[in-house]
PDB file of all heavy atoms in Angstrom:
ATOM      1  N   ASN U1373      -8.270  -5.915 -10.402  1.00  0.00           N
ATOM      2  CA  ASN U1373      -9.384  -5.731 -11.342  1.00  0.00           C
ATOM      3  C   ASN U1373      -9.005  -4.964 -12.559  1.00  0.00           C
ATOM      4  O   ASN U1373      -8.612  -3.786 -12.461  1.00  0.00           O
ATOM      5  CB  ASN U1373     -10.488  -5.016 -10.547  1.00  0.00           C
ATOM      6  CG  ASN U1373     -11.778  -4.855 -11.308  1.00  0.00           C
ATOM      7  OD1 ASN U1373     -11.996  -5.612 -12.223  1.00  0.00           O
ATOM      8  ND2 ASN U1373     -12.575  -3.881 -10.916  1.00  0.00           N
ATOM      9  N   SER U1374      -8.980  -5.592 -13.722  1.00  0.00           N
ATOM     10  CA  SER U1374      -8.599  -4.910 -14.932  1.00  0.00           C
ATOM     11  C   SER U1374      -9.710  -4.012 -15.511  1.00  0.00           C
ATOM     12  O   SER U1374      -9.462  -3.123 -16.284  1.00  0.00           O
ATOM     13  CB  SER U1374      -8.207  -5.919 -15.974  1.00  0.00           C
ATOM     14  OG  SER U1374      -9.188  -6.892 -16.193  1.00  0.00           O
ATOM     15  N   ASP U1375     -10.971  -4.350 -15.145  1.00  0.00           N
ATOM     16  CA  ASP U1375     -12.123  -3.517 -15.539  1.00  0.00           C
ATOM     17  C   ASP U1375     -12.311  -2.385 -14.552  1.00  0.00           C
ATOM     18  O   ASP U1375     -13.053  -2.572 -13.573  1.00  0.00           O
ATOM     19  CB  ASP U1375     -13.449  -4.371 -15.667  1.00  0.00           C
ATOM     20  CG  ASP U1375     -13.335  -5.382 -16.791  1.00  0.00           C
ATOM     21  OD1 ASP U1375     -12.602  -5.122 -17.780  1.00  0.00           O
ATOM     22  OD2 ASP U1375     -14.048  -6.365 -16.757  1.00  0.00           O
ATOM     23  N   THR U1376     -11.750  -1.288 -14.832  1.00  0.00           N
ATOM     24  CA  THR U1376     -11.857  -0.096 -13.913  1.00  0.00           C
ATOM     25  C   THR U1376     -13.294   0.369 -13.867  1.00  0.00           C
ATOM     26  O   THR U1376     -13.851   0.576 -14.878  1.00  0.00           O
ATOM     27  CB  THR U1376     -10.876   1.008 -14.333  1.00  0.00           C
ATOM     28  OG1 THR U1376      -9.570   0.449 -14.358  1.00  0.00           O
ATOM     29  CG2 THR U1376     -10.986   2.099 -13.364  1.00  0.00           C
ATOM     30  N   GLN U1377     -13.805   0.613 -12.676  1.00  0.00           N
ATOM     31  CA  GLN U1377     -15.133   1.009 -12.499  1.00  0.00           C
ATOM     32  C   GLN U1377     -15.138   2.244 -11.629  1.00  0.00           C
ATOM     33  O   GLN U1377     -14.236   2.401 -10.806  1.00  0.00           O
ATOM     34  CB  GLN U1377     -16.008  -0.025 -11.809  1.00  0.00           C
ATOM     35  CG  GLN U1377     -16.096  -1.301 -12.675  1.00  0.00           C
ATOM     36  CD  GLN U1377     -16.820  -2.392 -11.896  1.00  0.00           C
ATOM     37  OE1 GLN U1377     -17.737  -2.101 -11.148  1.00  0.00           O
ATOM     38  NE2 GLN U1377     -16.406  -3.634 -12.019  1.00  0.00           N
ATOM     39  N   GLU U1378     -16.077   3.131 -11.729  1.00  0.00           N
ATOM     40  CA  GLU U1378     -16.181   4.316 -10.894  1.00  0.00           C
ATOM     41  C   GLU U1378     -16.777   3.850  -9.568  1.00  0.00           C
ATOM     42  O   GLU U1378     -17.877   3.334  -9.408  1.00  0.00           O
ATOM     43  CB  GLU U1378     -17.058   5.362 -11.529  1.00  0.00           C
ATOM     44  CG  GLU U1378     -17.275   6.632 -10.765  1.00  0.00           C
ATOM     45  CD  GLU U1378     -16.044   7.454 -10.645  1.00  0.00           C
ATOM     46  OE1 GLU U1378     -15.241   7.493 -11.668  1.00  0.00           O
ATOM     47  OE2 GLU U1378     -15.749   8.127  -9.626  1.00  0.00           O
ATOM     48  N   ILE U1379     -16.034   4.024  -8.539  1.00  0.00           N
ATOM     49  CA  ILE U1379     -16.561   3.725  -7.141  1.00  0.00           C
ATOM     50  C   ILE U1379     -16.725   4.997  -6.260  1.00  0.00           C
ATOM     51  O   ILE U1379     -17.334   4.829  -5.222  1.00  0.00           O
ATOM     52  CB  ILE U1379     -15.728   2.678  -6.445  1.00  0.00           C
ATOM     53  CG1 ILE U1379     -14.280   3.115  -6.127  1.00  0.00           C
ATOM     54  CG2 ILE U1379     -15.694   1.362  -7.182  1.00  0.00           C
ATOM     55  CD1 ILE U1379     -13.542   2.060  -5.294  1.00  0.00           C
ATOM     56  N   LEU U1380     -16.200   6.056  -6.649  1.00  0.00           N
ATOM     57  CA  LEU U1380     -16.319   7.286  -5.830  1.00  0.00           C
ATOM     58  C   LEU U1380     -17.754   7.757  -5.717  1.00  0.00           C
ATOM     59  O   LEU U1380     -18.166   8.252  -4.701  1.00  0.00           O
ATOM     60  CB  LEU U1380     -15.418   8.407  -6.387  1.00  0.00           C
ATOM     61  CG  LEU U1380     -13.904   8.303  -6.120  1.00  0.00           C
ATOM     62  CD1 LEU U1380     -13.178   9.367  -6.807  1.00  0.00           C
ATOM     63  CD2 LEU U1380     -13.661   8.374  -4.550  1.00  0.00           C
ATOM     64  N   GLY U1381     -18.476   7.709  -6.751  1.00  0.00           N
ATOM     65  CA  GLY U1381     -19.841   8.169  -6.692  1.00  0.00           C
ATOM     66  C   GLY U1381     -20.924   7.185  -6.247  1.00  0.00           C
ATOM     67  O   GLY U1381     -22.078   7.483  -6.274  1.00  0.00           O
ATOM     68  N   THR U1382     -20.503   6.036  -5.742  1.00  0.00           N
ATOM     69  CA  THR U1382     -21.481   5.008  -5.363  1.00  0.00           C
ATOM     70  C   THR U1382     -21.844   5.013  -3.895  1.00  0.00           C
ATOM     71  O   THR U1382     -22.451   4.060  -3.427  1.00  0.00           O
ATOM     72  CB  THR U1382     -20.853   3.600  -5.709  1.00  0.00           C
ATOM     73  OG1 THR U1382     -19.641   3.440  -4.948  1.00  0.00           O
ATOM     74  CG2 THR U1382     -20.568   3.453  -7.162  1.00  0.00           C
ATOM     75  N   GLY U1383     -21.531   6.081  -3.157  1.00  0.00           N
ATOM     76  CA  GLY U1383     -21.945   6.158  -1.843  1.00  0.00           C
ATOM     77  C   GLY U1383     -20.835   6.697  -0.959  1.00  0.00           C
ATOM     78  O   GLY U1383     -19.854   7.236  -1.494  1.00  0.00           O
ATOM     79  N   ASN U1384     -21.017   6.635   0.311  1.00  0.00           N
ATOM     80  CA  ASN U1384     -20.044   7.153   1.225  1.00  0.00           C
ATOM     81  C   ASN U1384     -18.790   6.360   1.311  1.00  0.00           C
ATOM     82  O   ASN U1384     -18.865   5.177   1.640  1.00  0.00           O
ATOM     83  CB  ASN U1384     -20.711   7.337   2.635  1.00  0.00           C
ATOM     84  CG  ASN U1384     -20.004   8.396   3.451  1.00  0.00           C
ATOM     85  OD1 ASN U1384     -19.224   9.237   2.942  1.00  0.00           O
ATOM     86  ND2 ASN U1384     -20.354   8.458   4.679  1.00  0.00           N
ATOM     87  N   CYS U1385     -17.666   6.972   1.015  1.00  0.00           N
ATOM     88  CA  CYS U1385     -16.342   6.302   1.010  1.00  0.00           C
ATOM     89  C   CYS U1385     -15.481   7.023   1.973  1.00  0.00           C
ATOM     90  O   CYS U1385     -15.659   8.224   2.308  1.00  0.00           O
ATOM     91  CB  CYS U1385     -15.756   6.337  -0.365  1.00  0.00           C
ATOM     92  SG  CYS U1385     -16.639   5.365  -1.649  1.00  0.00           S
TER      93      CYS U1385
END
Side-chain angles (χ1 to χ4, degrees):
N1373 185 22
S1374 57
D1375 290 336
T1376 303
Q1377 300 173 36
E1378 180 68 35
I1379 64 173
L1380 282 175
T1382 61
N1384 206 10
C1385 293

